[in-house]
Amino acid sequence: MTRPLWAPWRLAYIGEAGSQETCVFCAEAGGELGEESLLVARGEHAFVLLNKFPYSSGHLMVATLRHVGELGELSAVEAAEIHTLTTRSLAALHRVYRPDAFNVGWNLGQVAGGSISGHLHEHVVPRWAGDTNFMPVLADVKVLPEHLAQTRLKLAAAWPS
């Protein structure tokens, strides 16, 4: 029996999906978002930001500063920095939220779940024992107990140097 899913936060995502005139990652990289910024940390070639529509508290994304859509188009320096920032993301998330595990990965292409497939980004999703499946639309609704702005401040403060 299919159970109805009550997830009102998804309406904002659905309403915005595909309607942005500019790339959200490029806007974030260029500092155009001001108070709306979800930036946690920035490197020379990549940066870390919170997912505006997270699967769990602390859901981060690591993206290149350069607008690039194919994994094979990354320079060696960009790829290395993404790896470094991903590792630092794991450390900051461990310090702040103490998750039991993580999902780390790429959605390469729109049909793979990459809603912003034109700008590469890697997801870092903290997981806890007993939480729901990675795709909450297949299970019960997740409750995110903390505002994104508070999560960003905590993770930025815990960011490893």
Side-chain angles (χ1 to χ4, degrees), residues 45-69:
H45 305 281
F47 63 102
V48 179
L49 71 159
L50 284 170
N51 189 325
K52 188 175 181 179
F53 303 102
Y55 290 122
S56 67
S57 292
H59 179 168
L60 296 174
M61 297 180 294
V62 183
T64 56
L65 290 172
R66 183 170 65 99
H67 187 86
V68 57

Side-chain angles (χ1 to χ4, degrees), residues 28 33 36-40 48-52 148-149 152:
E28 189 71 73
L33 298 179
E36 298 289 316
S37 174
L38 297 175
L39 183 73
V40 173
V48 179
L49 71 159
L50 284 170
N51 189 325
K52 188 175 181 179
L148 288 176
R152 184 181 62 76

Side-chain angles (χ1 to χ4, degrees), residues 76-109:
V77 173
E78 288 170 325
E81 187 165 76
I82 287 171
H83 181 76
T84 298
L85 290 175
T86 299
T87 302
R88 290 180 181 166
S89 295
L90 298 171
L93 287 163
H94 266 298
R95 284 187 189 131
V96 174
Y97 296 107
R98 304 202 189 290
D100 298 316
F102 294 93
N103 287 110
V104 177
W106 305 83
N107 295 328
L108 302 174

Side-chain angles (χ1 to χ4, degrees), residues 19-42:
S19 67
Q20 297 90 358
E21 291 182 22
T22 61
C23 170
V24 67
F25 295 110
C26 290
E28 189 71 73
E32 301 168 24
L33 298 179
E35 289 185 22
E36 298 289 316
S37 174
L38 297 175
L39 183 73
V40 173
R42 184 182 180 104

